[in-house]
Amino acid sequence: MFKIGLIGLGHIGEVHARNIARHPELRLTACYSRTEARRQAFARTHGGRAARHLSEILDAPDVDAVMIAASTDSHSKLLLAAAQARKPVFCEKPVDLDLSRARQTAEQVRQTGIRVMMGFNRRYEESHAAIQRQVANGGVGRLQIVQLTSRGPNRLASRDYLRGSGGFFRDKGVHFFDLARFISDSEVEEVSAMGAALVHPVVRELGDFDTAIVNLRMRNGVLCQIDNSRTAIYGYDERIEAFGSEGWIESCRQPDAATRWTSGTQARISPFPRDIYARIGGSYYRVIEAFADFLAQRETRVPTIDDGLAAQSIAEAATLSAHEHRTVRIDELP
Amino acid sequence: MFKIGLIGLGHIGEVHARNIARHPELRLTACYSRTEARRQAFARTHGGRAARHLSEILDAPDVDAVMIAASTDSHSKLLLAAAQARKPVFCEKPVDLDLSRARQTAEQVRQTGIRVMMGFNRRYEESHAAIQRQVANGGVGRLQIVQLTSRGPNRLASRDYLRGSGGFFRDKGVHFFDLARFISDSEVEEVSAMGAALVHPVVRELGDFDTAIVNLRMRNGVLCQIDNSRTAIYGYDERIEAFGSEGWIESCRQPDAATRWTSGTQARISPFPRDIYARIGGSYYRVIEAFADFLAQRETRVPTIDDGLAAQSIAEAATLSAHEHRTVRIDELP
Amino acid sequence: MFKIGLIGLGHIGEVHARNIARHPELRLTACYSRTEARRQAFARTHGGRAARHLSEILDAPDVDAVMIAASTDSHSKLLLAAAQARKPVFCEKPVDLDLSRARQTAEQVRQTGIRVMMGFNRRYEESHAAIQRQVANGGVGRLQIVQLTSRGPNRLASRDYLRGSGGFFRDKGVHFFDLARFISDSEVEEVSAMGAALVHPVVRELGDFDTAIVNLRMRNGVLCQIDNSRTAIYGYDERIEAFGSEGWIESCRQPDAATRWTSGTQARISPFPRDIYARIGGSYYRVIEAFADFLAQRETRVPTIDDGLAAQSIAEAATLSAHEHRTVRIDELP
Amino acid sequence: MFKIGLIGLGHIGEVHARNIARHPELRLTACYSRTEARRQAFARTHGGRAARHLSEILDAPDVDAVMIAASTDSHSKLLLAAAQARKPVFCEKPVDLDLSRARQTAEQVRQTGIRVMMGFNRRYEESHAAIQRQVANGGVGRLQIVQLTSRGPNRLASRDYLRGSGGFFRDKGVHFFDLARFISDSEVEEVSAMGAALVHPVVRELGDFDTAIVNLRMRNGVLCQIDNSRTAIYGYDERIEAFGSEGWIESCRQPDAATRWTSGTQARISPFPRDIYARIGGSYYRVIEAFADFLAQRETRVPTIDDGLAAQSIAEAATLSAHEHRTVRIDELP
């Protein structure tokens, strides 16, 4: 049984707490949020004690490992603190929105020798994971093309969120840059991205994008296509496919139930899920399972800080490419 | 918050305990099994106290309602005891394998005035429920045909289980007889069933069936077709459809994930789920939600003891029909 | 090259003429209809000569084989005449609506030694045929259940047509009785049918059905379920499945194109085909291919007169069963 | 009735001849191939006379319109000759592999005032066409992204064919460049393509690609993604989707039949079609229908020479982009 201290008690913190409860080897023993009322309420609902200071998590003997689900700008500081407290860490992406600070943190963490798992939960979505496994096992032969589509419901974040998000590629694209590396088992060489602000005036005003397409050339020759948007009025639409010399595999679009019916002479199927949890909710449990395996040293192929840095680099390159209308080599980046 | 006492701590009891934990208005406060070790372990895992006697559930002030998930032959006794203790009850089907004893219990329970909900969870399977709603709302016009298919994985129960099960129609068919009534919103008038023992010698030996098809004529003119088997080597295969003068609706077969791929020139999709929980697992939570609504008096259309008796009567008639190779009118039954 | 004489130039005659034109080994050399204008126009469009008398088909040296697509009441006479003219025949079902006259004709034809193929085109629908092949090859192991659904668009035939049709089971059901025998590779032992007139008052008035469900028990133990209606407002809906101890196979419902789209938050797919040709149109060509193979003696497993008689017998038994509300043994029939 | 003279009697010529025969308003009256035996055999099979010289098509009073299905290098000469003979033309793409010669021919044809339809049959594929219609009708709101996938069976063309084909983008991509313009109803502004030779050594040797991905930015802001390969061992795989602010529509992958089955615990569906005709065969008839409508002046939105030139320009830009690893603006082209 591993005793978990959770830092950050927002929406994603709740998701993790519920999944910890479902796992036979994990127990939530302490939780921390800056807001006292929040941490008290959280502890009542999910069990464990409410820590009054970070040190009541980081230095506590009843905490074997730390999960960081706090706001993005505190990740690097918390990550380093946990590592220095010699506790293994699960950390939501990104290490730091600023890539050089992220690299520095990574280096400092590395020196502690403490093991860190980054929360790239999409690697654990059942059908996405099946693609990676099948490709790795040679099921599609020589991999040629990977396609990743992810379009989220049209609920525009606030102007403040958008301004602080680092732009579309850093905020939303980074999950798919990680998947492109994960599935192709290779590093990016060249990035060519096109972005557009076609729907939301505020996005255009901020010089950001609400629609984007990206081509990646991987070192091993694989070509990747990604498209993203946050303007799908019909729901959460995500799919991936991999194509190679011996076959093809797809993690399909998913309706939110398995009903088909007619309405007059029309034919209908269950609509797309209204939110991301209905589409990839299972991955949030499986990433927690992987964390338990990681703590038990049964699993070593979890996403690392280096994976996080690599995905961020691609996001940087994509941002540059889209703004300058040119192909960017990943080794151009500082 | 409703405090629940659970009687019967086998597989289905575990499923209920986990779903009670997920529900914000329910709390498991006590559990009972004849085996002390079992109830101690169960209480440790799921919370609440381990009751040493039934009376520590039935008469306890910290139990607002009783859930009965014990073995079939104890249902009628426990149901009556709980009603007499003036606690509302959730009871797994059937009330009693013996129809006349079931009717007698129902009558006695009725006299207590206590409310009972029968655990026909399939009514709460998302897509099955959508069919009922759409039919009730006139979405298919004048309902004409209801089809129900359910084929379970080929894991033959023990000879003892089979002998005590009351036969294929009573054991397995009864869920679908309930659904036929639920979706058509009518009572059965005539039953014509055919049964066969095509796969398992032990089933044939016992004079039972492993394969069956049933036609029902409902009072409102609707025609229902049911087919059941317990010999599906490919997994758990269940589907329902309703057809009427203005349309059609289907709760489709469901693969266990949304992956498609090729293998050479073959094309494959995710296989059928290996067990019933992967197919209708969600219904076990929704039936618990309905129970909470029932306790809070927000929902009155839950399955009742009378629904249980009606489904059992159809099972009796189907058994008779299959063995005598003739159409049986439901009013022929004693 | 086989030279074909076609008798009966209505809708189905046109379908056959077009398919003969597509086949490299067949040529339409003569056509006959009672109406002169019709046969002249038909010959102009489809080629071949317009025969003024039946004898110009039956006795013509430029006719190697006869296709009978005339009205149902003339089938038995034409079939016998063609056989006596020593020409192999393709004949639309049924031989004769009157079963005893059909049997008599069959006997007389048999004495001529002439080979006859019945036009059960559904055996040649690509996915239906795949089921039969897979079952015959042991792909589903010990066959247990066959299900056949066919619901046609709601275009009610005229009162006159209905009155002359012999009732729902003889008119519409007979194709599926043939498929049940074809797929199960066995003969029917017992029939239990339920019929209802739920939509069309004229059907009820005539004592006929617009909705029907049928259970069949085959001699080899297989159980078959059939449902039919002519009231599908959403299009042509046909599907078949076979289930056995080693697997399952389905000839699926088919939309009329492969488009999916959203409309607001709804999700839609291409609707059902508006007519039977869009669903099983390919089978009309493949049955003509089989006829060419039959003429060339390359194929012997075509549907025979005996198949036609067997399907009619089942229709008789189903009619009796539905009207008398009882199970009918096929050997009860005179 | 329009009388058609067909030039070029290879595979695609045969396809056209069969579709002309199916169309009530078209008749094949003459056909020409350089090889006498070929044109004689073709005329015997498909009707019409075998022309001994081109002039017997171009100047013949029994030819209302000319269809050009000859080898690519003869297109521009034949197109001009037909226009100068004052006969409307249906011409297979491209006008000329050399873009400047193609432009020159286009200009000369324009001066004749004769109407020309280019054979971009994919615009007429039923589900592809549905996407264009729905987008044009505002069904997806503000169009944002168009995706086009086309992967053909892995039957490598000869080295000679490849060398003369103008490269992957000119040979295979051009259909999809046309569709991108057709669906987005806009012109290309920027092209960013990546190509790779991952499977066939001969392709790599020739400096060509067997795998390619392309991003297009259209003048109206729409972003398009295309991926192509000729190495799909599993069959013919083609799909298109369009995404916009109000919805999404897809012309789906299509299996070659509608069968589903299990094999052990695996689940299978009908495989991909083995050749292009099984996937988009219907479009070859509908493009001929459009040609009849064009001749009858009922339809004016057919693909024109200018459409052909535009698609070729995109192919040039894509070729440049892929070889120089940079984004190419379409107005850079000479």
Side-chain angles (χ1 to χ4, degrees):
Chain A
M1 182 71 80
F2 298 100
K3 286 161 276 178
I4 307 294
L6 177 62
I7 300 171
L9 309 179
H11 184 56
I12 185 71
E14 289 242 36
V15 171
H16 289 326
R18 270 200 294 271
N19 285 321
I20 288 169
R22 286 174 61 193
H23 197 285
E25 286 180 292
L26 301 180
R27 200 164 77 226
L28 185 68
T29 48
C31 62
Y32 176 77
S33 155
R34 281 183 205 150
T35 320
E36 172 161 4
R38 177 66 187 149
R39 64 196 185 227
Q40 293 293 349
F42 199 94
R44 264 196 307 278
T45 307
H46 297 286
R49 55 188 172 75
R52 284 159 304 170
H53 303 289
L54 270 176
S55 64
E56 290 183 20
I57 300 261
L58 299 180
D59 305 329
D62 71 344
V63 170
D64 298 325
V66 174
M67 289 188 73
I68 299 170
S71 64
T72 296
D73 55 6
S74 62
H75 287 185
S76 59
K77 212 187 56 181
L78 292 168
L79 184 54
L80 188 56
Q84 284 168 345
R86 313 217 55 74
K87 297 204 192 291
V89 189
F90 177 103
C91 183
E92 285 300 318
K93 64 97 192 161
V95 173
D96 196 298
L97 271 180
D98 181 275
L99 183 55
S100 64
R101 210 155 43 224
R103 285 182 182 143
Q104 199 181 342
T105 304
E107 184 48 38
Q108 291 171 305
V109 170
R110 194 170 297 125
Q111 284 164 17
T112 66
I114 290 299
R115 299 160 69 234
V116 176
M117 171 173 174
M118 293 298 289
F120 282 118
N121 59 293
R122 262 182 183 81
R123 292 192 180 196
Y124 297 92
E125 198 285 322
E126 197 167 354
S127 293
H128 297 358
I131 290 182
Q132 189 274 335
R133 271 198 313 276
Q134 197 131 327
V135 168
N137 294 338
V140 304
R142 199 290 184 227
L143 181 63
Q144 297 169 255
I145 296 175
V146 178
Q147 288 184 342
L148 306 106
T149 285
S150 180
R151 302 174 192 147
N154 192 3
R155 303 185 199 108
L156 192 62
S158 68
R159 173 184 288 262
D160 278 358
Y161 176 85
L162 288 172
R163 212 195 309 257
S165 70
F168 195 50
F169 294 110
R170 286 186 187 91
D171 186 38
K172 164 120 184 159
V174 74
H175 279 291
F176 304 94
F177 300 140
D178 180 62
L179 285 174
R181 291 177 63 252
F182 179 57
I183 292 170
S184 69
D185 194 27
S186 185
E187 297 299 331
V188 167
E189 201 168 272
E190 284 179 357
V191 180
S192 174
M194 291 181 178
L198 301 176
V199 177
H200 294 299
V202 59
V203 167
R204 178 187 299 265
E205 230 175 84
L206 292 167
D208 200 358
F209 309 122
D210 53 25
T211 312
I213 60 178
V214 184
N215 283 347
L216 304 176
R217 182 195 299 278
M218 311 305 289
R219 278 197 205 142
N220 62 0
V222 173
L223 304 178
C224 299
Q225 288 182 303
I226 300 171
D227 81 284
N228 286 147
S229 98
R230 2 181 175 235
T231 63
I233 69 155
Y234 54 89
Y236 205 87
D237 179 7
E238 183 163 315
R239 61 178 286 281
I240 299 181
E241 67 180 85
F243 165 74
S245 62
E246 302 296 327
W248 159 85
I249 178 166
E250 183 182 20
S251 167
C252 303
R253 295 195 145 86
Q254 289 180 29
D256 74 354
T259 319
R260 284 193 295 182
W261 68 100
T262 60
S263 171
T265 58
Q266 297 176 1
R268 291 173 51 188
I269 53 175
S270 299
F272 281 80
R274 301 310 301 154
D275 69 40
I276 189 173
Y277 292 100
R279 173 64 181 84
I280 60 164
S283 71
Y284 288 95
Y285 179 66
R286 279 186 293 269
V287 79
I288 292 299
E289 279 187 315
F291 185 48
D293 291 346
F294 171 76
L295 292 175
Q297 315 245 11
R298 286 187 300 260
E299 168 62 89
T300 55
R301 278 186 51 89
V302 302
T304 63
I305 293 193
D306 286 342
D307 289 318
L309 297 180
Q312 278 187 260
S313 295
I314 308 172
E316 299 282 319
T319 305
L320 196 63
S321 170
H323 284 291
E324 303 191 350
H325 294 236
R326 66 180 185 88
T327 299
V328 171
R329 290 186 57 85
I330 207 80
D331 56 20
E332 282 183 37
L333 294 181
Chain B
M1 182 70 84
F2 298 100
K3 286 160 277 177
I4 306 295
L6 176 62
I7 302 171
L9 308 179
H11 184 55
I12 184 71
E14 288 242 38
V15 171
H16 289 324
R18 269 199 296 270
N19 285 321
I20 288 169
R22 286 176 60 193
H23 198 283
E25 287 180 294
L26 302 179
R27 200 165 75 228
L28 186 68
T29 49
C31 62
Y32 176 77
S33 154
R34 278 183 207 151
T35 320
E36 174 162 2
R38 177 68 188 147
R39 63 196 186 227
Q40 293 294 351
F42 198 93
R44 262 195 309 278
T45 307
H46 298 286
R49 56 188 174 73
R52 284 158 306 169
H53 303 289
L54 269 176
S55 63
E56 290 183 16
I57 300 260
L58 298 180
D59 305 328
D62 70 345
V63 171
D64 298 324
V66 174
M67 290 189 72
I68 299 170
S71 66
T72 296
D73 56 6
S74 62
H75 286 187
S76 59
K77 211 187 57 182
L78 292 168
L79 182 54
L80 189 55
Q84 284 168 346
R86 312 217 56 74
K87 298 206 193 290
V89 188
F90 177 103
C91 183
E92 285 300 319
K93 63 96 194 165
V95 173
D96 197 298
L97 270 181
D98 181 275
L99 182 55
S100 65
R101 210 154 43 222
R103 283 180 183 145
Q104 200 180 339
T105 303
E107 185 47 37
Q108 292 170 307
V109 169
R110 193 172 296 125
Q111 283 164 17
T112 66
I114 290 299
R115 300 158 70 235
V116 175
M117 172 174 174
M118 294 298 291
F120 282 118
N121 59 293
R122 264 183 183 80
R123 291 191 180 197
Y124 297 92
E125 197 284 323
E126 197 167 355
S127 293
H128 296 0
I131 291 183
Q132 189 274 335
R133 272 198 314 275
Q134 195 131 325
V135 167
N137 293 339
V140 304
R142 200 287 184 231
L143 182 63
Q144 297 170 255
I145 296 175
V146 179
Q147 289 184 340
L148 307 106
T149 285
S150 182
R151 303 174 191 146
N154 193 3
R155 304 186 199 107
L156 192 62
S158 69
R159 174 183 287 262
D160 277 358
Y161 175 86
L162 288 172
R163 211 196 310 257
S165 71
F168 194 50
F169 295 109
R170 286 187 187 90
D171 185 38
K172 163 124 184 157
V174 74
H175 279 290
F176 303 95
F177 300 141
D178 179 62
L179 284 175
R181 291 177 62 253
F182 179 58
I183 292 170
S184 70
D185 194 27
S186 184
E187 297 298 331
V188 167
E189 203 168 88
E190 284 179 358
V191 181
S192 175
M194 292 180 177
L198 301 177
V199 178
H200 292 299
V202 60
V203 167
R204 177 187 300 264
E205 231 175 83
L206 292 167
D208 200 357
F209 309 122
D210 53 26
T211 311
I213 60 178
V214 183
N215 283 347
L216 304 176
R217 183 194 299 277
M218 311 305 288
R219 278 195 207 145
N220 63 0
V222 173
L223 305 178
C224 300
Q225 288 182 302
I226 300 169
D227 81 284
N228 287 146
S229 97
R230 4 183 174 234
T231 62
I233 69 152
Y234 53 91
Y236 204 86
D237 178 6
E238 182 162 316
R239 61 178 288 278
I240 300 182
E241 68 179 84
F243 165 74
S245 62
E246 302 295 328
W248 160 84
I249 179 167
E250 183 181 21
S251 167
C252 304
R253 296 195 144 87
Q254 290 179 29
D256 75 354
T259 319
R260 286 193 292 182
W261 69 100
T262 60
S263 172
T265 59
Q266 297 178 2
R268 291 174 50 187
I269 53 175
S270 298
F272 281 80
R274 299 313 298 156
D275 69 41
I276 190 173
Y277 292 100
R279 174 63 181 84
I280 62 165
S283 71
Y284 287 95
Y285 180 66
R286 281 186 291 270
V287 79
I288 291 299
E289 278 188 315
F291 185 48
D293 291 344
F294 172 75
L295 292 175
Q297 314 244 11
R298 286 185 302 259
E299 169 60 272
T300 56
R301 278 185 53 88
V302 302
T304 63
I305 293 194
D306 286 343
D307 289 319
L309 297 180
Q312 277 187 260
S313 294
I314 307 171
E316 300 280 319
T319 306
L320 197 62
S321 171
H323 283 291
E324 301 191 352
H325 294 236
R326 67 180 183 88
T327 299
V328 171
R329 291 187 56 85
I330 206 81
D331 57 18
E332 280 185 38
L333 295 181
Chain C
M1 181 70 81
F2 298 99
K3 285 161 277 177
I4 306 295
L6 176 63
I7 300 171
L9 308 180
H11 185 55
I12 184 70
E14 288 242 39
V15 171
H16 289 325
R18 270 198 295 271
N19 284 321
I20 288 169
R22 284 175 63 193
H23 198 285
E25 286 180 294
L26 302 179
R27 200 164 75 226
L28 185 69
T29 48
C31 63
Y32 175 77
S33 155
R34 279 183 207 150
T35 319
E36 174 160 4
R38 177 67 187 148
R39 65 197 183 224
Q40 293 294 349
F42 198 93
R44 263 194 308 278
T45 308
H46 297 286
R49 56 188 172 74
R52 283 159 304 170
H53 304 289
L54 271 176
S55 65
E56 290 183 16
I57 301 259
L58 300 180
D59 305 329
D62 70 345
V63 171
D64 297 326
V66 173
M67 289 188 72
I68 298 171
S71 65
T72 295
D73 56 6
S74 63
H75 287 186
S76 61
K77 212 187 57 181
L78 291 168
L79 183 54
L80 188 55
Q84 284 169 345
R86 313 217 55 73
K87 297 204 192 292
V89 188
F90 178 102
C91 184
E92 285 301 318
K93 64 99 195 159
V95 173
D96 197 298
L97 271 180
D98 181 275
L99 182 55
S100 66
R101 209 153 44 221
R103 284 182 182 143
Q104 200 180 342
T105 303
E107 183 48 37
Q108 290 170 304
V109 170
R110 194 171 295 124
Q111 283 165 16
T112 66
I114 290 298
R115 299 158 71 234
V116 175
M117 171 173 175
M118 293 299 290
F120 282 118
N121 58 293
R122 261 183 184 79
R123 290 191 180 197
Y124 296 92
E125 198 284 322
E126 196 167 353
S127 292
H128 295 0
I131 291 183
Q132 188 274 335
R133 270 198 313 275
Q134 196 131 326
V135 168
N137 293 339
V140 302
R142 200 289 184 228
L143 181 64
Q144 296 170 256
I145 295 175
V146 179
Q147 289 184 339
L148 306 108
T149 285
S150 181
R151 303 173 192 147
N154 192 2
R155 303 185 199 109
L156 192 63
S158 68
R159 174 185 287 262
D160 277 0
Y161 175 85
L162 288 172
R163 211 197 309 259
S165 70
F168 195 51
F169 294 110
R170 287 186 186 92
D171 185 38
K172 164 121 184 157
V174 73
H175 279 290
F176 304 94
F177 299 141
D178 180 62
L179 284 175
R181 293 176 62 251
F182 179 58
I183 291 170
S184 69
D185 194 26
S186 184
E187 297 299 330
V188 167
E189 201 168 271
E190 283 179 359
V191 180
S192 175
M194 292 181 177
L198 301 176
V199 178
H200 293 299
V202 58
V203 166
R204 178 188 300 264
E205 230 176 84
L206 291 168
D208 201 357
F209 309 122
D210 53 26
T211 312
I213 59 178
V214 184
N215 283 348
L216 303 176
R217 182 194 298 277
M218 311 304 289
R219 277 195 207 144
N220 62 0
V222 173
L223 304 178
C224 301
Q225 288 183 302
I226 301 170
D227 81 285
N228 287 146
S229 97
R230 1 182 176 235
T231 63
I233 70 152
Y234 53 91
Y236 205 87
D237 179 7
E238 183 163 316
R239 61 178 286 280
I240 300 181
E241 66 179 86
F243 165 75
S245 61
E246 301 295 328
W248 160 85
I249 178 166
E250 184 182 20
S251 167
C252 303
R253 294 193 146 87
Q254 290 179 27
D256 74 354
T259 319
R260 284 193 294 183
W261 68 101
T262 60
S263 172
T265 58
Q266 297 177 2
R268 291 172 52 188
I269 52 174
S270 299
F272 281 80
R274 301 312 298 156
D275 69 40
I276 189 173
Y277 293 101
R279 174 63 181 83
I280 62 165
S283 71
Y284 287 95
Y285 179 66
R286 280 187 290 270
V287 78
I288 291 298
E289 278 188 314
F291 185 48
D293 291 345
F294 172 74
L295 292 176
Q297 315 247 9
R298 286 186 300 259
E299 169 60 90
T300 56
R301 278 186 51 89
V302 301
T304 63
I305 292 191
D306 285 344
D307 289 318
L309 297 180
Q312 278 187 260
S313 295
I314 307 171
E316 300 280 319
T319 305
L320 196 63
S321 170
H323 284 290
E324 302 191 350
H325 294 234
R326 65 179 185 88
T327 299
V328 171
R329 292 186 55 85
I330 206 80
D331 58 18
E332 282 184 36
L333 295 181
Chain D
M1 182 68 83
F2 298 100
K3 286 161 277 177
I4 307 296
L6 176 64
I7 300 171
L9 308 180
H11 185 53
I12 185 71
E14 288 241 39
V15 170
H16 289 325
R18 271 198 295 270
N19 284 321
I20 289 169
R22 284 175 62 193
H23 197 285
E25 287 182 291
L26 301 179
R27 201 165 74 227
L28 185 70
T29 48
C31 62
Y32 175 76
S33 155
R34 279 183 205 152
T35 319
E36 173 161 4
R38 178 65 187 150
R39 63 196 185 226
Q40 294 294 351
F42 198 92
R44 265 196 307 278
T45 307
H46 296 287
R49 56 187 172 75
R52 284 160 304 171
H53 304 289
L54 270 177
S55 63
E56 290 184 18
I57 301 257
L58 299 181
D59 305 328
D62 70 344
V63 171
D64 297 326
V66 173
M67 290 188 73
I68 299 170
S71 64
T72 295
D73 56 6
S74 62
H75 286 186
S76 59
K77 211 187 58 181
L78 291 169
L79 183 54
L80 187 57
Q84 284 169 344
R86 313 217 55 76
K87 298 203 194 292
V89 188
F90 177 103
C91 183
E92 285 300 318
K93 64 96 192 163
V95 171
D96 197 298
L97 270 181
D98 180 276
L99 182 54
S100 64
R101 211 154 43 223
R103 285 182 182 144
Q104 198 180 340
T105 303
E107 184 48 37
Q108 291 170 305
V109 169
R110 194 172 296 124
Q111 283 165 17
T112 66
I114 289 299
R115 301 159 70 232
V116 175
M117 172 173 174
M118 293 298 290
F120 281 119
N121 58 294
R122 263 182 184 79
R123 291 192 180 197
Y124 296 92
E125 198 284 322
E126 197 167 354
S127 293
H128 296 0
I131 290 183
Q132 188 274 335
R133 271 196 315 275
Q134 196 131 324
V135 168
N137 294 337
V140 303
R142 200 288 185 233
L143 182 63
Q144 297 169 255
I145 295 175
V146 179
Q147 288 183 342
L148 305 108
T149 285
S150 181
R151 303 174 192 145
N154 193 1
R155 303 186 199 108
L156 191 63
S158 68
R159 173 185 287 264
D160 277 357
Y161 175 85
L162 289 173
R163 211 196 309 258
S165 71
F168 195 48
F169 294 109
R170 287 187 187 90
D171 185 38
K172 164 125 184 155
V174 73
H175 278 291
F176 304 95
F177 300 141
D178 180 62
L179 285 174
R181 292 176 62 251
F182 179 57
I183 292 170
S184 69
D185 194 26
S186 184
E187 297 299 331
V188 167
E189 203 167 88
E190 284 179 359
V191 180
S192 175
M194 290 180 179
L198 301 175
V199 178
H200 293 299
V202 60
V203 166
R204 176 187 300 264
E205 230 176 86
L206 291 168
D208 200 359
F209 309 123
D210 52 27
T211 312
I213 60 178
V214 184
N215 282 348
L216 304 176
R217 182 194 299 277
M218 311 304 290
R219 279 197 204 142
N220 62 1
V222 172
L223 304 178
C224 299
Q225 287 182 303
I226 301 171
D227 81 284
N228 287 145
S229 98
R230 2 182 178 236
T231 62
I233 70 152
Y234 54 91
Y236 204 87
D237 179 6
E238 183 163 315
R239 64 178 285 280
I240 300 181
E241 69 180 84
F243 165 73
S245 62
E246 301 295 328
W248 160 85
I249 179 166
E250 183 182 20
S251 167
C252 305
R253 296 194 145 86
Q254 291 180 26
D256 75 353
T259 319
R260 285 195 292 184
W261 69 101
T262 59
S263 171
T265 59
Q266 298 178 359
R268 290 173 51 186
I269 53 175
S270 299
F272 281 80
R274 300 312 299 155
D275 69 42
I276 189 173
Y277 292 100
R279 174 62 181 84
I280 62 164
S283 72
Y284 287 95
Y285 179 66
R286 280 186 291 269
V287 79
I288 291 298
E289 278 188 314
F291 186 47
D293 291 345
F294 171 75
L295 292 176
Q297 316 246 8
R298 284 187 302 259
E299 169 60 272
T300 57
R301 278 185 52 88
V302 301
T304 63
I305 292 192
D306 286 343
D307 289 319
L309 297 181
Q312 277 187 260
S313 295
I314 308 170
E316 300 281 319
T319 305
L320 197 62
S321 171
H323 284 290
E324 302 192 350
H325 294 238
R326 67 180 184 88
T327 299
V328 172
R329 291 187 55 85
I330 206 83
D331 55 20
E332 282 185 36
L333 294 182

